[in-house]
Amino acid sequence: MEIKHVMVIGAGQMGSGIAQVCAQSGFHVKLNDISEEALQKGLAGIEKNLNRSVEKGRMSEEDKQNTLNRLQTTTSLQDASDCDLVIEAVIENMDIKTKVFKELDQITPEHAILASNTSSLPITEIAAVTNRPEKVIGMHFMNPVPVMKLVEIIRGLATSDETYKAIEDMTKALNKTPVEVNDFPGFVSNRVLMPMINEAIYTVYEGVATPEAVDEVMKLGMNHPMGPLTLADFIGLDTCLYIMEVLYEGFGDSKYRPCPLLRKYVKAGWLGRKTGRGFYVYDN
Ligand SMILES: CC(=O)CC(=O)SCCNC(=O)CCNC(=O)[C@H](O)C(C)(C)COP(=O)(O)OP(=O)(O)OC[C@H]1O[C@@H](n2cnc3c(N)ncnc32)[C@H](O)[C@@H]1OP(=O)(O)O
Ligand SMILES: NC(=O)C1=CN([C@@H]2O[C@H](COP(=O)(O)OP(=O)(O)OC[C@H]3O[C@@H](n4cnc5c(N)ncnc54)[C@H](OP(=O)(O)O)[C@@H]3O)[C@@H](O)[C@H]2O)C=CC1
């Protein structure tokens, strides 16, 4: 199946990055969000990244213009009616995602593949609200999307081989590396990463060390590019909490209980870099 026209839903940090790499690789992209403000912010981020690539000599001015010309923004989901692939990147909430997938199932052409960038939610459950579960798949990009090489591809129970192959090919066309995993809470990436981040938060909560000290231990001691608390702020503390809840509920195992300090920060609106405050303070 040939993919030419793509819609990306959600113009947050992930959706805007996904739209950028798709447009850069020659796909025609519609970036959708419920908020016009989010679209303008997403587009400004994309332009900034492309300008940096031009300054660094990785991209010509002409390629930048062509990339931007392939990118449109829209607040109407109806514009997905001519898309071959939709990649959903709205917030990590099953009710919102299933609502979007139900609508997309009505709007998109019969051949269209519906992918979710969910970081932990069951693809099988998202697929079950559509009449095309064989065409629903997880396409999990890593943050920051323009930089990170991995795309975790998650097969739901009914995902067809044809759908898997199309998404594997698309991932390679985006110059990224696909890794196939099965549909279990948190897949592989967040089943391994998020309990480490949660445990790092516990060490702060229990007074074992300051956030700076925890991050320094993991950076200098384990060669991680970012310490776990800097990374949690970067991912978004709301997203970290949603993922821990999915692991906790999905496996019913107390080892995944979210740290009370994580809950407290999210309740306070301290969501990390995106709101200017999390474990650290940022000037946005
Ligand atoms: C939660 C989930 O479901 C799954 C996830 O995504 S988990 C999160 C996975 N991501 C990570 O673990 C990221 C860990 N951090 C890193 O790898 C690095 O710190 C980093 C790549 C983000 C930054 O690298 P760095 O060497 O520390 O900083 P820096 O030199 O500023 O950046 C390196 C390059 O990345 C680019 N970059 C950094 N942040 C960026 C962003 N948000 N968007 C686009 N490009 C970015 C920089 O522009 C720079 O590019 P150049 O080649 O033009 O210089
Ligand atoms: N952050 C990360 O490191 C990673 C996140 N993910 C996953 O990607 C998804 C998005 O995360 P992220 O980009 O960080 O989140 P953000 O909060 O940055 O962005 C989410 C965007 O979706 C918009 N949105 C919410 N509801 C709808 C809707 N019904 N239709 C269209 N747009 C909507 C939001 O608008 P508004 O702000 O107006 O509500 C916001 O602009 C989540 O599923 C997350 O788990 C995957 C990999 C890594």
Side-chain angles (χ1 to χ4, degrees):
M1 185 200 132
E2 203 189 352
I3 297 171
K4 277 189 177 164
H5 293 270
V6 180
M7 176 178 272
V8 179
I9 305 181
Q13 50 180 347
M14 294 306 291
S16 57
I18 296 167
Q20 178 189 324
V21 297
C22 290
Q24 249 173 265
S25 303
F27 296 93
H28 292 272
V29 183
K30 291 175 187 170
L31 179 58
N32 168 279
D33 202 288
I34 38 176
S35 130
E36 186 57 44
E37 197 190 329
L39 286 173
Q40 290 319 315
K41 202 172 155 209
L43 201 55
I46 294 173
E47 280 179 353
K48 191 172 153 220
N49 287 343
L50 295 179
N51 284 335
R52 189 176 162 88
S53 289
V54 173
E55 277 161 29
K56 289 232 156 188
R58 279 191 303 251
M59 183 185 260
S60 67
E61 184 62 36
E62 192 189 352
D63 281 349
K64 181 190 110 181
Q65 269 319 321
N66 289 339
T67 299
L68 290 173
N69 291 344
R70 282 191 290 270
L71 202 60
Q72 283 174 260
T73 57
T74 172
T75 51
S76 168
L77 216 51
Q78 290 299 332
D79 287 339
S81 62
D82 63 353
C83 288
D84 310 304
L85 167 67
V86 180
I87 306 173
E88 166 278 314
V90 305
I91 54 167
E92 190 73 349
N93 175 296
M94 185 57 101
D95 291 342
I96 296 179
K97 288 198 193 282
T98 48
K99 184 171 172 282
V100 169
F101 272 75
K102 260 189 205 153
E103 285 180 46
L104 286 173
D105 194 29
Q106 302 302 317
I107 296 167
T108 54
E110 216 174 293
H111 72 270
I113 294 177
L114 307 182
S116 175
N117 180 54
T118 175
S119 44
S120 61
L121 293 165
I123 298 302
T124 305
E125 196 175 330
I126 296 174
V129 303
T130 72
N131 292 313
R132 60 178 99 186
E134 71 290 351
K135 293 197 175 69
V136 177
I137 192 161
M139 193 176 187
H140 183 205
F141 290 82
M142 301 294 127
N143 189 9
V145 181
V147 179
M148 306 299 280
K149 280 287 176 200
L150 174 71
V151 177
E152 207 179 23
I153 304 186
I154 305 105
R155 275 179 186 262
L157 207 54
T159 309
S160 69
D161 290 344
E162 198 191 353
T163 300
Y164 180 82
K165 176 81 174 65
I167 294 304
E168 186 183 49
D169 290 348
M170 170 87 185
T171 301
K172 290 179 184 162
L174 299 178
N175 198 22
K176 307 240 176 249
T177 305
V179 176
E180 180 183 356
V181 307
N182 269 325
D183 192 17
F184 279 92
F187 319 126
V188 171
S189 53
N190 282 316
R191 184 165 174 181
V192 176
L193 173 70
M194 216 39 83
M196 182 198 69
I197 288 179
N198 195 48
E199 207 56 32
I201 301 172
Y202 264 108
T203 61
V204 174
Y205 178 62
E206 291 172 4
V208 180
T210 61
E212 289 81 359
V214 173
D215 279 350
E216 207 68 347
V217 165
M218 298 306 285
K219 265 174 38 183
L220 301 184
M222 282 78 193
N223 253 359
H224 288 194
M226 280 175 170
L229 300 166
T230 303
L231 183 57
D233 274 358
F234 180 60
I235 290 168
L237 299 186
D238 51 342
T239 302
C240 293
L241 179 58
Y242 294 141
I243 296 170
M244 284 312 295
E245 300 275 26
V246 169
L247 291 172
Y248 188 46
E249 279 164 28
F251 291 114
D253 188 330
S254 64
K255 76 178 175 185
Y256 298 112
R257 77 262 175 263
C259 179
L261 189 62
L262 175 60
R263 286 190 196 284
K264 194 174 196 173
Y265 278 21
V266 172
K267 288 228 167 84
W270 294 11
L271 306 185
R273 211 180 261 206
K274 62 185 168 188
T275 57
R277 178 145 206 185
F279 288 97
Y280 300 97
V281 178
Y282 306 86
D283 323 311
N284 283 341

